[in-house]
Amino acid sequence: GEEDGWVFNSRQQEVDIFIKEDKPLNCSKGIGIINAPAEVVQNVFTTNEIKTRWDEMYSHGERLEVVDKVTGISYSAFHAPWPTTPRDLVIIGRSTALKDGSLFVFSTSCEHPKKPPVSGYVRAKLDYGAILITPLRDDDDDDADTTDEPRDPSKGKCRVVYSVGSDPRGSLPKWLVNVANIKQPLCVHAIR
């Protein structure tokens, strides 16, 4: 809510979009319900090979290193509308299963010797990318919970909170980046 700096911006394609003003670039968050098990949603968000199905800007990517069973380093490249230079990222991401059955994925930029800066791309910076995927029972229509029982992440539908703070770097005007940031949480709708 607004007590932690997030301000409701709009509801688009059944996703509630919030903005947090942060200098110089705003952070964005989207919240929506997806009719798929939490484990499936996590896989869709984190697998490079299927990102083109839900992210129209995604060009290609690869896993650079498996750090451990829940942590990996990957490279992603993104298309950009003319005359903008395409962007790329190297990120480290970690997945965690929470006690209530929710799945949490957190990513941030890093450097890796297998992927130095690539000619023709601007290396963007991901301050953070976070996804909280909470399994819902069939009778749940929001995040209200009436029991302490953990929910099964392999069944049903889920509530997804997707939040990102990033800097595409380069010479893009900050106001334009802030306008574009409003669209990022719509990936919650796109993976449906």
Side-chain angles (χ1 to χ4, degrees):
E2 292 190 24
E3 66 277 356
D4 59 3
W6 291 103
V7 177
F8 179 77
N9 176 274
S10 61
R11 181 168 177 84
Q12 299 179 37
Q13 301 172 324
E14 297 183 23
V15 177
D16 291 330
I17 298 174
F18 297 81
I19 298 298
K20 186 176 202 174
E21 290 189 14
D22 197 10
K23 303 293 180 199
L25 299 172
N26 295 338
C27 301
S28 58
K29 174 171 71 173
I31 301 173
I33 304 296
I34 296 179
N35 289 315
E39 291 174 341
V40 170
V41 173
Q42 178 189 21
N43 188 50
V44 170
F45 269 114
T46 59
T47 304
N48 281 331
E49 294 77 18
I50 56 178
K51 280 186 184 172
T52 56
R53 296 182 192 170
W54 59 268
D55 186 343
E56 64 186 31
M57 300 302 287
Y58 183 78
S59 170
H60 62 280
E62 63 183 298
R63 179 155 313 255
L64 300 174
E65 181 180 342
V66 175
V67 177
D68 59 37
K69 68 180 186 172
V70 296
T71 309
I73 300 173
S74 61
Y75 170 79
S76 297
F78 298 89
H79 304 289
W82 184 89
T84 308
T85 304
R87 288 344 194 225
D88 67 356
L89 288 165
V90 175
I91 62 168
I92 183 166
R94 183 173 184 86
S95 300
T96 304
L98 305 178
K99 289 181 183 178
D100 70 352
S102 295
L103 303 172
F104 180 67
V105 181
F106 182 84
S107 302
T108 190
S109 282
C110 67
E111 295 181 11
H112 197 278
K114 287 185 183 175
K115 198 53 89 167
V118 177
S119 179
Y121 287 85
V122 172
R123 181 66 44 99
K125 180 182 179 203
L126 180 65
D127 293 319
Y128 77 92
I131 307 162
L132 177 64
I133 307 163
T134 304
L136 301 174
R137 289 189 257 321
D138 288 335
D139 57 348
D140 284 345
D141 57 1
D142 58 27
D143 61 337
D145 196 1
T146 58
T147 179
D148 289 333
E149 282 181 38
R151 298 172 185 168
D152 185 344
S154 67
K155 296 181 180 172
K157 61 185 178 180
C158 58
R159 178 179 185 259
V160 176
V161 178
Y162 173 89
S163 183
V164 65
S166 63
D167 183 350
R169 293 189 170 158
S171 59
L172 296 173
K174 301 302 181 197
W175 67 266
L176 181 61
V177 174
N178 284 332
V179 169
N181 279 346
I182 293 171
K183 294 182 183 267
Q184 278 193 287
L186 290 176
C187 67
V188 173
H189 169 74
I191 69 162
R192 288 184 178 139

